[in-house]
Amino acid sequence: MAPVAVVGDETTLTDAVWQNATAAPDAVQFLRRVGGEWQGVTCAQFRDGVIALARGLIAAGVQAGDRIGLMSGTRYEWTLIDYAIWAAGAVTVPIYETSSPDQVAWILSDSGAVACFVETDVHRAALAKSRHPLPGGVGPWQIEGRHAVIDGLVAEGAAVAVEDVERRRHAVGADDIATIIYTSGTTGRPKGCALTHRNLSSAICNTLPGLGSLFGKDASTLLFLPLAHAFARIVQIGCVQARVRMGYSPGGANLAADLESFRPTFVLSVPRMFEKIYATAQQRANGGIFRRAEQVAVAYSRSLDRGGPGLLLRLRHALFGMLVYRKVRAALGGGCRHAICGGAPLGERLAHFYRGAGIDVREGYGLTETSSVVAFNFDDGVRIGTAGRPVPGTTVRIAGDGEILVDGPQVFARYWNNETATAQCLDQDGWFHTGDLGDLDGDGFLRITGRKKDLIVTAGGKNVVPGELEDRLRAHPLVSQCVVVGDRLPFVSALVTLDEHAFATWKAHNGKPAGATVADLRADTRLCSAVQQAVDDANQTVSKAESIRAFRILPHDFSESTGELTATQKIKRQVVTDEHAEEIAAMYG
C-alpha cells in the first residue's frame, strides 16, 4: 500500500509542538500530578517549557548531535526533556529507571553521552555506581529530590536567546538521528537502535490516519509503560502529533487510583496487564456467572464479524454487562473504550472477551528497529488474532523459513557502533530480518507465530512454537508465567509460576494455611491438579506431539529484579532455563 504521508527532508519531531501552540495555544494537552491533583499544561505552555529547557541545555554547552541520557520513570518531565533535547539539536538516549549500574555504564559509554538526566536520588546513585565519567563535565541533571537542578538549568538558559533554539531546531533534518534506543534484549548486551526524525515521523504520520477512533477529538490516554521503551515512546509522539491529552502514572500501586481519577478513553499496555485484569475479574465473580459471562462476551464479539448479534445474544450481553463487564471496564478507569496492546500477542480468546466486554483491544506489531510500527488493526479492518495489516508505505514479506521481513521508511538504518549486528539483520536489498515468525493471509493480515530463536525442535524432530501454549496457559487465573521447554529433548514440558493473588484465594478455598508459600505447597496434589487442568486446556490447541507432558511449579514468580523479565515484562528464556536447569532435568528423569 502506498504511504498516506511522505516526510519532507526538513521535518523534525519538534514541528508538532510549535504547530500545536499556534493552532490551539490554550488547549490542555498534558495533565501532571501536583499535590495529588491533576494540573493541566496547555500547548503554548508546553512549547514555552521546551524552549526554556532547550536554552538551558545550550547554556550548559550541549552541542548539536550530542547524545544526552534520560533515566526516569514515566512522568510529564520525561516528555518535556525529550522534546527539549530535540529542540537543542541533540539526541535522546533513554535508560530504563530499573537499569543496573553496569547497564547504565554500557549505554552511556557506547552512545558517547555527554550528559544525563536522572529522576531521583536513587537514579543518581545508580549513575554514580556505574563510574562512567560524562565527558561533558556537567550534570547529572536531576528532576526531583534534594539534588534537583531543572529549575536552575532553566534559569541559566535565560542568557541564551530564543533565536538560538530556533536555529538549532531548524538546523536538524529528517535524516538526522533523534534517539538511540537500547533494546532491553533477552540475551547479551543491549544494542543501540539509531532512529531518525524521518523514521519516527513516517511511522506516526502513516499510522494515525487509520486510527481516528483512538486518536480523535476528545481522546485521552494515561501513560504508565516505561517511556524508555519504543512502544510507549511512539504513542507519546503520536499523542503530541494528534493533540491527544496525556496523563502520566508511575504505575505499580498508584495505577488503579490514577486510572480511576483520570478516566482515559484509551490505554496502551502489554498482554500481562490484560491477563491480570481478566484473572482478577474471574476471581472476584461467582465462578458459574463468570464462565457464562465470558462465553457470552466471546460469542458477542465473534458475532460482530458475522453480521452482528441476534436478539437473545444482545439480551444476555446486556445482563452480563451489569454483572461482570462494567467491573472489567472499571479496572481501566471506567471511561476506557479502546486499548493498544503490544510487546507480544494477546491471544484470540482474550481479545474477543475484552471486545465483548466493551473494550476494543487493538493489536499491532513492530520492533524498536522499525520505530515500533509495522502493522496494525486499523479502523477500516480489524481481525482479532492478527497484528493487522501493514502500515501504509510498509512492505512485509514472509521468507521461506517463515521469518517476517520488513521494508519501509520507519526501518532504522543501523545499530550504533555495531556494524556486525547491522549486517546480520539488514540485507543488501534493504530488508530488515525481524527474527519473528509469521504468515500473511489472503487479505494481507499479519499473524505472528513466534520467534525463530524460541522455536523448539524435539528429539523426535517435531517443531514446536511455544508462544501459543504459553498464551493459553497464562489465561488460567492461577498461572502467572510459564516457559515451555523441550529443545532436543524427548517431549515438551513447562515451568510454571503462580499468580500471588490467585494463589491466596486458592489456599482459602482449599483449607491451606494463609502463611503457606508456593515453595511450601508446590508439590501439593490439589494444587498440581489445578495447574494440570490449565495444561490440559492449553494442550487442546496443539497436536499430541506438541503437547505439554510434564510441568514444574516454581517456588517464586519471575520478576525484573531477579533478571528473568525485561522492563516490558518479556521473559528472558535463557536466564530462566539456566536458573532452573535442575527443575528441567528432573522433568526428564
Side-chain angles (χ1 to χ4, degrees):
M1 184 187 299
V4 296
V6 177
V7 174
D9 292 342
E10 297 180 355
T11 299
T12 69
L13 295 166
T14 59
D15 293 346
V17 175
W18 268 254
Q19 291 164 1
N20 290 342
T22 300
D26 299 323
V28 173
Q29 183 165 23
F30 304 91
L31 287 136
R32 54 188 300 198
R33 280 285 198 186
V34 178
E37 300 293 330
W38 292 107
Q39 182 183 84
V41 179
T42 67
C43 293
Q45 288 171 334
F46 181 67
R47 177 204 56 196
D48 294 344
V50 168
I51 291 173
L53 190 52
R55 292 166 74 189
L57 293 175
I58 294 171
V62 171
Q63 301 296 313
D66 279 350
R67 277 77 65 199
I68 309 295
L70 175 49
M71 184 180 184
S72 169
T74 299
R75 55 188 298 161
Y76 166 74
E77 288 81 3
W78 207 108
T79 303
L80 178 69
I81 293 167
D82 199 16
Y83 279 88
I85 290 171
W86 289 335
V91 177
T92 307
V93 181
I95 304 172
Y96 286 106
E97 59 171 330
T98 53
S99 297
S100 68
D102 181 65
Q103 291 170 325
V104 174
W106 165 251
I107 292 171
L108 293 176
S109 173
D110 187 65
S111 67
V114 302
C116 186
F117 284 91
V118 296
E119 180 182 13
T120 64
D121 292 333
V122 172
H123 301 149
R124 187 186 187 93
L127 182 61
K129 288 179 181 177
S130 75
R131 298 185 179 181
H132 176 73
L134 294 169
V138 295
W141 297 311
Q142 191 163 321
I143 298 170
E144 67 173 38
R146 58 194 180 94
H147 296 292
V149 296
I150 298 297
D151 290 343
L153 188 60
V154 169
E156 292 175 8
V160 175
V162 174
E163 291 74 19
D164 288 348
V165 175
E166 287 296 313
R167 281 192 289 271
R168 284 283 189 96
R169 191 169 76 85
H170 289 296
V172 174
D175 293 317
D176 287 316
I177 295 174
T179 187
I180 303 173
I181 303 178
Y182 281 78
T183 57
S184 55
T186 54
T187 59
R189 274 189 158 171
K191 300 186 292 289
C193 299
L195 297 174
T196 65
H197 289 268
R198 187 188 303 278
N199 290 148
L200 295 165
S201 296
S202 295
I204 284 300
C205 292
N206 284 288
T207 301
L208 288 182
L211 293 176
S213 63
L214 279 79
F215 290 83
K217 188 175 182 294
D218 298 324
S220 64
T221 190
L222 183 72
L223 294 175
F224 50 85
L225 291 183
L227 280 165
H229 191 268
F231 176 34
R233 186 86 166 289
I234 199 68
V235 173
Q236 168 199 267
I237 294 169
C239 287
V240 171
Q241 186 83 19
R243 212 183 307 148
V244 167
R245 282 187 297 116
M246 280 187 287
Y248 301 80
S249 172
N254 301 303
L255 182 56
D258 287 343
L259 284 166
E260 183 179 2
S261 63
F262 190 87
R263 290 180 61 85
T265 62
F266 77 92
V267 297
L268 61 145
S269 192
V270 293
R272 188 68 191 125
M273 175 182 176
F274 297 107
E275 291 165 356
K276 282 193 171 185
I277 291 174
Y278 168 88
T280 300
Q282 188 177 25
Q283 293 165 35
R284 292 178 177 174
N286 174 282
I289 290 177
F290 187 88
R291 282 192 296 273
R292 291 194 294 275
E294 180 184 14
Q295 291 168 356
V296 168
V298 172
Y300 187 90
S301 175
R302 291 187 186 279
S303 75
L304 296 176
D305 299 326
R306 300 192 299 264
L311 177 60
L312 180 59
L313 182 54
R314 289 201 303 271
L315 291 173
R316 296 176 68 195
H317 183 263
L319 172 64
F320 288 119
M322 295 297 295
L323 296 175
V324 176
Y325 307 148
R326 65 182 180 86
K327 297 176 182 178
V328 173
R329 295 193 297 270
L332 290 172
C336 183
R337 290 296 178 268
H338 298 278
I340 301 173
C341 183
L346 176 62
E348 187 173 342
R349 184 174 181 82
L350 202 54
H352 276 300
F353 167 78
Y354 272 101
R355 186 166 72 169
I359 300 174
D360 177 23
V361 181
R362 301 284 186 90
E363 292 191 81
Y365 169 68
L367 304 90
T368 304
E369 292 86 345
T370 64
S371 305
S372 201
V373 180
V374 169
F376 205 82
N377 275 286
F378 293 104
D379 291 347
D380 64 354
V382 175
R383 186 161 297 177
I384 286 179
T386 77
R389 290 179 292 190
V391 170
T394 303
T395 305
V396 173
R397 189 174 78 189
I398 307 299
D401 61 357
E403 184 177 9
I404 300 168
L405 310 183
V406 180
D407 185 28
Q410 77 274 45
V411 176
F412 81 140
R414 64 188 173 104
Y415 289 113
W416 186 261
N417 290 338
N418 199 331
E419 294 182 4
T420 301
T422 302
Q424 289 172 346
C425 69
L426 281 174
D427 65 27
Q428 294 181 345
D429 296 322
W431 289 95
F432 172 60
H433 293 240
T434 64
D436 290 318
L437 300 172
D439 56 64
L440 287 163
D441 68 17
D443 297 320
F445 285 87
L446 177 65
R447 188 170 69 95
I448 313 302
T449 58
R451 290 284 291 171
K452 282 181 68 174
K453 66 181 181 182
D454 295 341
L455 186 68
I456 292 171
V457 182
T458 66
K462 182 64 179 177
N463 287 356
V464 179
V465 179
E468 187 172 2
L469 282 165
E470 292 167 350
D471 290 342
R472 190 67 174 254
L473 261 172
R474 285 196 301 269
H476 192 282
L478 195 55
V479 176
S480 175
Q481 298 283 5
C482 60
V483 172
V484 170
V485 297
D487 195 43
R488 297 184 296 278
L489 293 168
F491 54 84
V492 175
S493 61
L495 299 171
V496 177
T497 71
L498 302 186
D499 180 90
E500 59 177 322
H501 300 296
F503 178 59
T505 302
W506 181 88
K507 287 188 292 183
H509 289 169
N510 287 271
K512 303 299 181 182
T517 66
V518 175
D520 296 331
L521 298 176
R522 66 188 185 124
D524 181 89
T525 303
R526 277 183 285 179
L527 182 61
C528 290
S529 177
V531 175
Q532 183 65 57
Q533 291 176 19
V535 171
D536 292 343
D537 179 67
N539 283 342
Q540 293 179 19
T541 65
V542 296
S543 68
K544 184 177 180 180
E546 298 169 282
S547 63
I548 298 170
R549 310 280 186 87
F551 67 87
R552 281 290 187 277
I553 299 173
L554 299 180
H556 65 80
D557 201 356
F558 302 149
S559 70
E560 190 180 347
S561 61
T562 58
E564 294 152 322
L565 297 180
T566 69
T568 51
Q569 304 304 292
K570 291 180 182 177
I571 293 173
K572 296 183 178 180
R573 291 179 181 273
Q574 193 61 54
V575 173
V576 170
T577 53
D578 288 348
E579 179 71 21
H580 302 287
E582 291 185 7
E583 300 274 5
I584 294 171
M587 288 189 286
Y588 295 94

